[in-house]
Amino acid sequence: MKYKLLLLFILFNVFAFTQSLNGQQITILEGQIFSADHNEPISGALIFTENNKAHYADEKGHFKLEVPSGKLHLTIESLGFESYEYKIQNLAPGKLDLGKIELQEKATSVS
């Protein structure tokens, strides 16, 4: 399992490096995901973009990822919570801190 993660990490960095060689501008997105009802971090929340690159929040709900500048459609999901979407048309290169992102709990019932 460690080797698969290492290989995935290496492939991601090679891809990011080749994208930067192509002159594509990069934005670093970061934020922290919380439960709106309990004000606690949500670890393992899934963060993905329109090109289906998936990332996960760490144990404190933090995430940090590189995305191409320009148009962005970011989705955050976690089991038991409503999805969160963030869209922007002109994402500038550099760094963008989305701050504290609160997910609402889904109303569920057990029959």
Side-chain angles (χ1 to χ4, degrees), residues 76-89:
I76 300 174
E77 294 182 351
S78 187
L79 187 63
F81 293 90
E82 298 288 337
S83 294
Y84 172 89
E85 292 190 33
Y86 180 82
K87 295 179 182 180
I88 187 168
Q89 292 296 319

Side-chain angles (χ1 to χ4, degrees), residues 2-22:
K2 289 182 182 178
Y3 296 111
K4 288 181 182 177
L5 289 174
L6 179 60
L7 179 61
L8 184 62
F9 177 76
I10 291 170
L11 289 174
F12 176 77
N13 283 324
V14 168
F15 176 77
F17 178 73
T18 57
Q19 290 298 322
S20 65
L21 288 178
N22 291 334

Side-chain angles (χ1 to χ4, degrees), residues 7-71:
L7 179 61
L8 184 62
F9 177 76
I10 291 170
L11 289 174
F12 176 77
N13 283 324
V14 168
F15 176 77
F17 178 73
T18 57
Q19 290 298 322
S20 65
L21 288 178
N22 291 334
Q24 186 173 18
Q25 299 287 336
I26 298 294
T27 302
I28 299 172
L29 288 179
E30 59 185 328
Q32 188 174 18
I33 305 166
F34 279 85
S35 164
D37 297 329
H38 302 288
N39 198 31
E40 295 178 354
I42 301 174
S43 65
L46 175 65
I47 302 109
F48 58 96
T49 59
E50 65 274 357
N51 60 5
N52 293 324
K53 283 190 178 181
H55 304 274
Y56 294 93
D58 68 13
E59 64 277 353
K60 294 183 181 178
H62 290 170
F63 68 91
K64 185 174 185 178
L65 59 130
E66 291 183 358
V67 297
S69 302
K71 184 178 174 185

